[in-house]
Amino acid sequence: MELQRRRSISLPQILATWLLLMAAYTGPAECIRRTSRFHGEDEGDGSGAVEAFEYSATACRVHTASLADFGGVGDGATSNTAAFSAAVTHLSQFASDGGGMLFVPPGRWLTGPFNLTSSFTLFLHRDAVILATREMNEWPIIDPLPSYGRGRDAAGGRYSSLIGGSNLTDVIITGDNGTIDGQGAFWWSKFHGHKLKYTRGYLIELMHSDQIFISNLTLLNSPSWNIHPVYSSNIVVSGITILAPVHSPNTDGINPDSCSNGDGAQPCPFPTDASPMDDVQLQECTYVKAISA
């Protein structure tokens, strides 16, 4: 008789998974964002306006800022790549001091790829759209994933994902059903016309990371895959709407790749691509068609 091999799980892993699952299934945590003159910090007289956001998460952040504080312009035409980068860099200093939250206000915020940081929340207002730029020179070229050895669309490297990060802990990407729009038609046309030298980027890719929570967003027209956690653990994806034409190429919903302790909770498209994984749960998922999952 063949005995099933059991994998030992440490106490920290158990606690991290428990916290993420509790966030998915319990009520929303109420988090407070203070709006004042500079980077969301009150001047000390208590005059800063208070605005409350409710969203499911493991914890609220102590420090907050708006993208507009860093020169962001939500007109759908001005590049905000530098503003996103500056905002994340500023908030990264608070990783050991209660963490930071970047608030994306109403508007259409054009940007190239940017990376997140640890102990960090990216929160999109319901009328906020993070709009991927079609300027290809704003998309850095990076190496293929080690487990792949080559790009998926071409033999060489690949374009960065729109929202990325590596070696992170405690990352939340959420909102009041705000939108991340990849403007994928631009990329799909080049893919079908065999005009790409490198593999298309994804909307969200987090690598070598732990405690990832993605919820309450609309993901629209990704250039390729939508959510790609890779070499990561303790992942919850909840309440995500993913939209793309049925025959758009490779716009998979959620592709956990070489991951462990993952949970696709609440209604969300959740396909799995060919990759080694462990302890991944799929629950209450809705698919329009298998070809577009």
Side-chain angles (χ1 to χ4, degrees):
M1 176 184 298
E2 183 179 353
L3 298 178
Q4 181 179 6
R5 184 178 63 179
R6 297 186 174 227
R7 182 174 59 87
S8 61
I9 302 176
S10 67
L11 180 58
Q13 287 178 308
I14 295 172
L15 290 175
T17 303
W18 180 82
L19 285 172
L20 285 169
L21 293 178
M22 285 296 291
Y25 292 111
T26 59
E30 183 176 343
C31 299
I32 303 299
R33 183 179 78 91
R34 292 187 179 276
T35 304
S36 58
R37 185 179 58 170
F38 184 68
H39 295 331
E41 296 180 359
D42 203 321
E43 297 180 29
D45 59 1
S47 61
V50 175
E51 189 171 2
F53 299 96
E54 291 190 354
Y55 58 95
S56 296
T58 53
C60 299
R61 308 304 186 188
V62 173
H63 304 272
T64 65
S66 169
L67 185 62
D69 296 338
F70 297 86
V73 179
D75 61 1
T78 303
S79 174
N80 293 284
T81 308
F84 273 108
S85 179
V88 173
T89 297
H90 171 78
L91 291 167
S92 68
Q93 67 184 302
F94 304 119
S96 60
D97 183 29
M101 182 181 82
L102 177 60
F103 173 69
V104 183
R108 293 172 61 81
W109 305 91
L110 185 70
T111 184
F114 62 94
N115 289 326
L116 306 183
T117 188
S118 292
S119 301
F120 180 84
T121 297
L122 179 66
F123 187 99
L124 278 68
H125 185 277
R126 68 171 63 90
D127 295 321
V129 179
I130 294 179
L131 189 65
T133 182
R134 291 182 292 187
E135 294 293 332
M136 295 183 70
N137 59 2
E138 285 209 53
W139 293 76
I141 308 300
I142 59 176
D143 292 334
L145 290 170
S147 56
Y148 286 43
R150 55 156 292 159
R152 289 177 55 86
D153 295 342
R158 60 197 185 106
Y159 291 99
S160 295
S161 295
L162 182 64
I163 299 174
S166 184
N167 297 295
L168 306 181
T169 301
D170 184 14
V171 176
I172 299 170
I173 305 173
T174 189
D176 188 15
N177 201 34
T179 299
I180 302 174
D181 183 349
Q183 299 209 87
F186 168 80
W187 295 94
W188 307 333
S189 175
K190 289 186 175 295
F191 173 79
H192 286 305
H194 305 286
K195 297 179 180 180
L196 290 174
K197 293 176 60 177
Y198 306 104
T199 295
R200 291 162 289 158
Y202 309 138
L203 274 192
I204 301 172
E205 180 181 71
L206 297 174
M207 301 172 57
H208 303 289
S209 296
D210 185 47
Q211 300 176 44
I212 300 167
F213 192 91
I214 303 173
S215 69
N216 302 332
L217 296 168
T218 295
L219 306 183
L220 179 65
N221 294 334
S222 176
S224 185
W225 296 350
N226 281 267
I227 299 176
H228 185 223
V230 56
Y231 316 136
S232 296
S233 59
N234 299 309
I235 305 153
V236 170
V237 180
S238 173
I240 297 293
T241 299
I242 300 177
L243 302 174
V246 170
H247 293 289
S248 54
N250 311 117
T251 52
D252 302 24
I254 306 168
N255 275 358
D257 188 345
S258 306
C259 292
S260 63
N261 299 329
D263 181 70
Q266 313 299 326
C268 55
F270 200 104
T272 57
D273 203 48
S275 54
M277 297 187 295
D278 188 24
D279 295 338
V280 174
Q281 300 180 44
L282 314 181
Q283 301 182 36
E284 301 180 36
C285 299
T286 302
Y287 306 87
V288 176
K289 289 188 177 180
I291 191 174
S292 60

